[in-house]
């Protein structure tokens, strides 16, 4: 709405400017036209009749569009009137209508958009947020605050620092605007606070204001300030007594007095402690005395009881001694009998042990004989099985050798030396590339150990024998 108000105002001013510019433009054009006509008439007539010159000089300027300018001006009045009739009350404030004819109008304008009669009513705005009024207890502070001093019952001047939080009642703005001054904080709140504290302070002495009745003074002053300002449409939320400044001489004397009182209280406390300690010592002595008396009485009673017990026990001592002697005799006889029985039992145990040892030795001998017999049987069986296996093996080897007589030479060649290498070749020598090599190598050596076969080839055993013979 504020943007709309300014837009209407700018539109109205623009229309007024347009009307004025239109008139100025027409006047300028008319003046230029008149000047040109005058110059042309002078040049054409060359000093002609004076009547025509006077008519031109006294004639009208020309067609000025007064009607159009008046229309624009009238049209400009409309947005100006609309913008003047719109009032925007911002947040944290409230307004009241003030008429040029009837004065303050009842009712409060709260934050928002409102319509008023233009050029007749205007709006007075007031800050409805909480405000703080502060006083100082002494001069020379950083902030320039009003110094508030009161007199106590003794007549001493005391500085009081007070903070009052207040706000204007929006419902009574018409009364506030009509009856109260503009600066409410300095001209209304300040005198009420100062007069209230100065009226209540003489009811207390300085020490009470400073210490014990400080809160009482604050609460009474707060109630009085709230009551007086509420009647004027000012709502007080809180009154705080921030600080109290005593006169320097009184403060020093009060400090010394407080120190003396503290010292007196300390001495009184120490005296009470000493008295309690003495009383405690007396009570402890009495308790110890009572304990000693009771302990002595208890010891005497114990001794009496012991004497009675000894006297009573003497009556039973002799019979008890006789019984003990008889019991000792019986115990000796029992030990003698037990000794004899133990000797007999030991002899019997030795006989039994010797018999058991003989039986054990016999069992060991039998077991050893059985073990030797089993071992001999097992060895005989092993020899028999081994012989049978060797016989079978020899039969098998004989059969193999019978089928392959050349294996004897191979076995002999293997056992001769471990450095010899054996090569098995076919007997016929067909399709063997080394046949010609062996034949050429041993062509000059006479065959001493083998014969040639039907095909004229040397057997594998002869070749191996020759190889072993010629190996360096």
């Amino acid at each position: 709405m504020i943007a709309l108000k300014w837009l209407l105002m700018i539109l109205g001013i623009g229309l007024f400017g347009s009307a004025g510019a239109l008139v100025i433009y027409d006047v300028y054009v008319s003046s230029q036209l008149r000047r040109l006509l005058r110059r042309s008439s002078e040049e054409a007539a060359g000093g002609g009749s004076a009547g025509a010159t006077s008519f031109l000089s006294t004639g009208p300027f020309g067609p000025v569009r007064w009607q159009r300018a008046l229309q624009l001006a009238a049209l400009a009045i409309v947005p100006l009137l609309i913008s003047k009739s719109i009032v925007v009350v911002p947040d944290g404030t409230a307004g009241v209508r003030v008429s040029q004819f009837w004065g303050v109008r009842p009712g409060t304008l709260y934050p928002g958009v409102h319509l008023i009669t233009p050029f007749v009513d205007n709006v007075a705005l007031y800050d409805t947020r909480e405000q703080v009024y502060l006083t100082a207890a002494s001069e020379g502070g950083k902030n320039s605050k009003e110094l508030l001093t009161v007199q106590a019952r003794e007549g001493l001047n005391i500085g009081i620092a007070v903070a009052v939080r207040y706000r204007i009642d929006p419902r009574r703005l018409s009364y506030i605007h009509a009856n109260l001054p503009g600066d409410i904080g300095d001209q209304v709140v300040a005198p009420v606070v100062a007069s209230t504290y100065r009226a209540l302070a003489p009811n207390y002495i300085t020490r009470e204001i400073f210490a014990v009745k400080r809160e009482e003074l604050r609460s009474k002053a707060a109630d009085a300030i709230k009551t007086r300002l509420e009647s004027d449409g000012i709502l007080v939320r809180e009154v705080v007594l921030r600080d109290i400044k005593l006169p320097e001489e009184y403060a020093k004397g009060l400090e010394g007095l407080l120190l003396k009182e503290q010292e007196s209280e300390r001495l009184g406390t120490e005296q009470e402690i000493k008295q309690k300690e003495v009383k405690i010592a007396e009570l402890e002595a009495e308790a110890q005395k009572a304990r000693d008396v009771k302990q002595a009485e208890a010891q005497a009673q114990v001794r009496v009881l012991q004497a009675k017990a000894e006297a009573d026990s003497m009556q039973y001592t002799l019979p008890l001694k006789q019984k003990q002697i008889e019991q000792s005799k019986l115990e000796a006889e029992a030990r003698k009998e037990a000794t004899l029985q133990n000797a007999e039992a030991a002899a019997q145990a030795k006989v039994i042990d010797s018999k058991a040892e003989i039986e054990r030795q016999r069992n060991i001998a039998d077991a050893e004989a059985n073990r030797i017999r089993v071992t001999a049987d097992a060895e005989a069986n092993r020899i028999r099985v081994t012989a049978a296996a060797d016989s079978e093996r020899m039969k098998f080897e004989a059969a193999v050798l019978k089928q392959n007589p050349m294996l004897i030479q191979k076995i002999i060649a293997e056992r001769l030396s471990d450095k010899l290498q054996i090569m098995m070749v076919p007997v016929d020598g067909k399709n063997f590339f080394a046949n010609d090599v062996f034949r050429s190598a041993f062509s000059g050596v006479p065959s001493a150990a083998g014969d040639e076969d039907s095909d004229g080839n040397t057997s594998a055993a002869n070749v191996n024998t020759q190889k072993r013979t010629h190996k360096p």
Side-chain angles (χ1 to χ4, degrees):
M1 292 304 295
I2 294 177
L4 178 61
K5 178 179 178 179
W6 282 103
L7 182 62
L8 292 173
M9 189 177 295
I10 292 171
L11 179 61
I13 294 173
L15 292 175
F16 269 118
S18 299
L22 181 62
V23 172
I24 292 172
Y25 177 74
D26 290 343
V27 171
Y28 175 74
V29 171
S30 298
S31 64
Q32 292 294 327
L33 180 61
R34 189 181 63 178
R35 186 175 60 80
L36 292 175
L37 290 174
R38 182 185 298 172
R39 181 181 298 177
S40 63
S41 63
E42 289 178 356
E43 293 177 355
S49 63
T53 304
S54 62
F55 174 77
L56 290 172
S57 61
T58 58
F61 291 158
V64 179
R65 291 171 288 184
W66 293 104
Q67 186 176 0
R68 180 65 61 84
L70 291 175
Q71 290 177 355
L72 291 174
L75 186 62
I77 292 173
V78 176
L80 289 176
L81 290 176
I82 294 174
S83 65
K84 284 290 184 180
S85 64
I86 295 175
V87 175
V88 179
V89 179
D91 291 336
T93 60
V96 60
R97 293 185 181 91
V98 181
S99 176
Q100 301 293 336
F101 302 104
W102 300 284
V104 180
R105 304 294 299 276
T108 301
L109 301 180
Y110 292 97
V113 180
H114 303 276
L115 298 177
I116 61 174
T117 304
F119 302 105
V120 176
D121 295 341
N122 58 0
V123 177
L125 297 178
Y126 287 89
D127 191 356
T128 57
R129 293 172 296 184
E130 286 190 0
Q131 302 181 29
V132 180
Y133 170 73
L134 300 174
T135 64
S138 60
E139 296 180 353
K142 295 182 180 180
N143 300 324
S144 58
K145 303 172 185 176
E146 182 181 354
L147 179 63
L148 177 59
T149 58
V150 298
Q151 287 186 351
R153 186 181 300 174
E154 302 93 333
L156 295 174
N157 291 326
I158 303 173
I160 297 178
V162 180
V164 180
R165 295 174 58 187
Y166 67 93
R167 62 188 294 265
I168 297 174
D169 189 358
R171 298 171 296 180
R172 302 186 62 185
L173 281 183
S174 58
Y175 172 82
I176 292 172
H177 184 80
N179 298 283
L180 297 183
D183 192 357
I184 295 176
D186 293 336
Q187 298 183 11
V188 179
V189 177
V192 171
V193 173
S195 62
T196 302
Y197 273 98
R198 285 169 182 163
L200 294 175
N203 297 326
Y204 304 93
I205 62 176
T206 305
R207 189 171 182 181
E208 292 176 346
I209 294 175
F210 183 75
V212 293
K213 294 187 178 181
R214 181 172 181 171
E215 181 61 24
E216 180 181 345
L217 174 62
R218 188 205 65 79
S219 62
K220 288 184 178 181
D223 294 339
I225 291 170
K226 289 180 182 178
T227 302
R228 292 181 61 180
L229 292 179
E230 189 176 359
S231 63
D232 292 330
I234 300 173
L235 303 177
V236 178
R237 182 174 180 179
E238 186 179 10
V239 178
V240 180
L241 183 57
R242 299 186 298 118
D243 191 14
I244 295 176
K245 183 67 175 180
L246 299 177
E248 294 183 1
E249 295 80 4
Y250 184 83
K252 292 180 182 179
L254 182 60
E255 184 178 359
L257 181 60
L258 291 175
L259 291 175
K260 290 180 180 179
E261 288 182 354
Q262 291 178 359
E263 185 67 19
S264 177
E265 291 178 358
R266 185 181 65 81
L267 293 175
T269 304
E270 290 180 355
Q271 184 178 1
E272 291 179 358
I273 292 172
K274 294 294 183 183
Q275 291 177 356
K276 290 180 180 179
E277 289 178 354
V278 172
K279 189 174 182 179
I280 291 171
E282 292 177 355
L283 294 175
E284 289 180 352
E286 292 179 358
Q288 185 64 31
K289 182 179 178 181
R291 285 196 295 269
D292 293 340
V293 171
K294 290 181 179 180
Q295 188 175 3
E297 292 177 354
Q299 290 177 356
Q301 292 178 0
V302 169
R303 289 177 182 175
V304 171
L305 293 174
Q306 289 177 353
K308 290 181 178 180
E310 289 178 357
D312 293 337
S313 63
M314 291 298 292
Q315 297 177 2
Y316 304 97
T317 301
L318 294 176
L320 183 60
K321 292 294 183 180
Q322 292 177 358
K323 290 180 180 181
Q324 289 178 354
I325 293 170
E326 292 177 357
Q327 186 176 0
S328 298
K329 291 180 179 180
L330 294 175
E331 289 177 356
E333 292 177 357
R335 282 196 297 271
K336 183 178 180 180
E337 293 179 358
T339 303
L340 295 175
Q341 291 177 359
N342 290 334
E344 292 176 358
Q348 292 177 0
K350 286 181 180 180
V351 171
I352 293 171
D353 291 339
S354 61
K355 291 180 179 179
E357 183 64 21
I358 292 170
E359 186 67 22
R360 187 178 67 81
Q361 292 294 333
R362 185 183 298 112
N363 292 333
I364 291 172
D366 295 339
E368 184 65 20
N370 292 331
R371 184 183 67 79
I372 292 171
R373 186 171 53 256
V374 170
T375 303
D377 294 339
E379 183 66 20
N381 190 19
R382 184 184 67 79
I383 293 171
R384 187 168 46 255
V385 172
T386 303
D390 291 340
S391 176
E392 291 292 332
R393 182 177 60 81
M394 292 178 68
K395 290 179 181 181
F396 179 74
E397 289 179 353
V400 171
L401 290 175
K402 185 177 181 180
Q403 294 177 1
N404 298 304
M406 300 300 296
L407 287 177
I408 297 174
Q409 298 177 5
K410 176 180 177 296
I411 294 170
I412 293 171
E414 286 179 351
R415 293 182 178 179
L416 287 176
S417 176
D418 57 349
K419 294 181 180 181
L420 294 178
Q421 296 180 354
I422 305 302
M423 180 180 295
M424 302 296 296
V425 297
V427 176
D428 55 358
K430 293 180 179 181
N431 299 325
F432 184 61
F433 70 94
N435 193 15
D436 296 336
V437 176
F438 288 139
R439 185 180 296 110
S440 61
F442 301 107
S443 59
V445 180
S447 177
D451 297 326
E452 294 182 354
D453 57 1
S454 61
D455 294 333
N457 295 327
T458 306
S459 66
N462 295 333
V463 173
N464 290 333
T465 305
Q466 293 173 2
K467 184 179 179 179
R468 285 194 300 268
T469 304
H470 292 85
K471 187 173 183 62

